[in-house]
């Protein structure tokens, strides 16, 4: 009986492993084809694969182990760590400035008040300082943890290799966070935010797919549902889905209440976000805005295919990870991610 159970469990494990392997191979192939088509594999600004091969060979293992342990204990961290990397890169580039605890820092700005995952970065950094002191930047930890928390954890495989070699910035100002796109932005506003960071329409659509996991504060959604005391639902919102959102986010909503960004499969990193958009079930106004442009809507259609989504997301994450990075002798390597020059 016991050995039969073990055999069944073993077959189950193999099936999962085979699926993950097949998925991974398809993504790598799709990724290479997409890169070739776009004339990419563009020069990166001083980053490299395995930048720490000699100085911290165990880096990937340490980041993955700590991140997976923490996400297993608290699944909400998957979305938090992915968003942390995005909010780091869009303000001053991917330089870990979002982590700094200084007066009027980025962290204190409105759009960052619901950002989290800082304690995971601290835990990883603590371990790294024991193994390879003063070597690995906080900005690289943020980039690695984003992938491992949101994507590698689910697939038990890394869908893309994170380029490393970023260094940490020393400036963190709430007043710089205007570079972050607003959830109430229309299509043109979103595209402008992205192009200001060197990212294009494809990146905007692919990266918005991050909203296949995680939550939004009700306050990010209620303006779509209620205006003043009257009920005036955003016409871009499916009526039945609007009712679901209203149940989760009444008017007024209790402080701190949240709603899933992907109403169907909120903790799965899959392509259902794009299927939702086609049904007018995007949770944020900025999600719905993607359907208001013909080229973006066509991309949404393409990315309902999970293999295409994983390939496009991987490529755009690498691009986002290169935004205004500090490399070479610029910036610093912090020992404590929350403090400049520590
Ligand atoms: C296209 C422009 C974007 C806008 C306007 C936007 C806006 C938002 C907003 C308002 C929230 C909810 C915050 C709250 O109310 O508490 C959110 C959550 C989230 N965003 Fe975005 N976002 C955008 C793009 C991205 C990108 C590029 C990524 C990552 C690659 C990302 C990853 C996430 C994740 C994972 C969450 C859930 C966080 C959690 O569960 O704690 N977003 N986003």
């Amino acid at each position: 009986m016991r050995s039969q159970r073990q055999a069944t469990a073993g077959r189950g494990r193999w099936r999962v492993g085979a699926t993950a392997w097949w998925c991974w191979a398809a993504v790598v192939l799709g990724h290479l084809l997409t890169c070739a088509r776009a004339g990419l594999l563009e020069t990166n600004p001083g980053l490299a694969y395995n930048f720490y091969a000699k100085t911290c060979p165990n880096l990937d293992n340490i980041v993955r182990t700590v991140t997976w342990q923490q996400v297993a204990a608290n699944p909400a961290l998957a979305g938090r760590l992915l968003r942390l990397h995005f909010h780091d890169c869009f303000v001053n580039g991917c330089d870990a400035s979002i982590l700094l605890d200084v007066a009027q820092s980025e962290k204190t700005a409105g759009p960052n008040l619901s950002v989290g995952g800082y304690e995971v970065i601290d835990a990883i950094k603590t371990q790294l300082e024991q193994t390879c002191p003063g070597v690995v930047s906080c900005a690289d930890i943020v980039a690695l943890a984003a992938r491992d928390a949101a994507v590698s954890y689910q697939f038990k495989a890394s869908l893309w290799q994170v380029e490393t070699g970023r260094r940490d910035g020393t400036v963190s100002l709430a007043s710089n966070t205007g570079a972050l796109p607003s959830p109430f932005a229309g299509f043109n506003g979103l595209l402008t935010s992205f192009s200001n960071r060197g990212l294009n329409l494809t990146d905007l659509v692919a990266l918005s797919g991050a909203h296949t996991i995680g939550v939004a504060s009700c306050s990010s959604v209620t303006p779509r549902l209620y205006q003043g005391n009257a009920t005036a639902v955003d016409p871009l919102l499916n009526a039945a889905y609007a009712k679901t959102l209203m149940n989760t986010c009444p008017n007024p909503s209790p402080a701190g209440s949240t709603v899933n960004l992907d109403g169907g499969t909120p903790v799965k990193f899959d392509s259902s976000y794009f299927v939702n958009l086609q049904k007018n079930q995007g949770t944020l106004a900025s999600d719905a805005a993607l359907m208001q442009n013909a080229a973006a809507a066509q991309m949404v259609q393409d990315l309902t295919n999970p293999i295409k989504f994983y390939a496009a997301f991987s490529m755009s994450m690498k691009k986002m990870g290169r935004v205004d990075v500090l490399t070479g002798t610029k910036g610093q390597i912090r020992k404590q991610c929350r403090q400049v020059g520590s």
Side-chain angles (χ1 to χ4, degrees):
M1 181 69 178
R2 193 155 155 244
S3 61
Q4 198 183 354
R5 251 202 321 266
Q6 277 167 346
T8 315
R11 275 202 301 277
R13 261 201 306 277
W14 185 87
R15 260 201 307 275
V16 170
T19 311
W21 188 91
W22 178 87
C23 211
W24 182 83
V27 167
V28 170
L29 189 66
H31 180 51
L32 290 175
L33 286 175
T34 319
C35 288
R37 253 205 321 273
L40 289 172
L41 289 183
E42 65 253 87
T43 49
N44 68 48
L47 301 177
Y49 293 126
N50 297 322
F51 181 84
Y52 301 102
K54 292 215 170 83
T55 51
C56 197
N58 215 12
L59 168 64
D60 278 19
N61 263 335
I62 293 173
V63 176
R64 189 175 52 236
T65 305
V66 177
T67 308
W68 285 11
Q69 273 168 359
Q70 300 240 5
V71 175
N74 179 7
L77 286 169
R80 282 188 205 149
L81 285 162
L82 181 54
R83 186 168 179 235
L84 181 68
H85 183 40
F86 163 51
H87 280 222
D88 182 32
C89 293
F90 263 58
V91 181
N92 256 11
C94 316
D95 67 346
S97 52
I98 192 168
L99 306 181
L100 288 171
D101 283 337
V102 289
Q104 310 296 320
S105 69
E106 289 173 28
K107 263 181 195 173
T108 66
N112 282 336
L113 292 179
S114 57
V115 170
Y118 302 111
E119 62 291 348
V120 181
I121 306 300
D122 291 338
I124 297 169
K125 185 63 170 165
T126 303
Q127 287 231 4
L128 287 173
E129 285 305 304
Q130 284 161 13
T131 317
C132 21
V135 167
V136 181
S137 69
C138 299
D140 281 340
I141 297 173
V142 171
L144 287 162
R147 178 201 60 186
D148 288 347
V151 188
S152 319
Y153 178 72
Q154 176 180 315
F155 295 107
K156 297 293 174 272
S158 306
L159 288 192
W160 69 93
Q161 215 181 337
V162 173
E163 295 171 336
T164 44
R166 297 171 191 79
R167 290 170 65 86
D168 299 327
T170 54
V171 178
S172 180
L173 288 173
S175 53
N176 285 337
T177 55
L180 290 165
S182 156
F184 307 111
F187 177 79
N188 290 335
L190 295 173
L191 194 58
T192 303
S193 297
F194 274 62
S195 58
N196 286 343
R197 305 334 282 165
L199 301 171
N200 61 24
L201 173 69
T202 308
D203 303 315
L204 167 62
V205 179
L207 291 175
S208 293
H211 291 172
T212 180
I213 58 169
V215 296
S217 315
C218 282
S219 56
S220 298
V221 181
T222 44
R224 298 190 78 193
L225 308 174
Y226 317 100
Q227 283 172 9
N229 289 325
T231 300
V233 177
D234 183 338
L236 300 180
L237 198 50
N238 170 285
Y241 187 58
K243 287 226 166 71
T244 309
L245 292 176
M246 285 168 164
N247 282 336
T248 316
C249 296
N251 190 23
S253 294
S257 51
T258 59
V259 61
N260 291 327
L261 282 166
D262 176 348
T265 54
V267 291
K268 250 181 116 184
F269 196 88
D270 57 15
S271 58
S272 64
Y273 167 81
F274 297 102
V275 178
N276 296 342
L277 291 191
Q278 291 187 317
K279 294 189 286 187
N280 293 333
Q281 295 182 4
T283 300
L284 302 174
S286 55
D287 297 323
L290 299 181
M291 296 304 287
Q292 300 307 299
N293 171 275
Q298 179 57 54
M299 263 172 225
V300 167
Q301 166 60 33
D302 286 351
L303 300 188
T304 58
N305 174 332
I307 298 299
K308 288 189 183 171
F309 169 49
Y310 299 145
F313 189 76
S314 301
M315 196 166 89
S316 293
M317 282 294 283
K318 283 193 192 182
K319 264 180 88 177
M320 188 177 83
R322 292 177 195 148
V323 170
D324 289 342
V325 289
L326 300 169
T327 54
T329 54
K330 293 183 190 144
Q332 58 180 212
I333 303 293
R334 292 183 217 141
K335 281 188 175 297
Q336 218 276 38
C337 290
R338 295 171 187 258
Q339 284 166 25
V340 172
S342 57

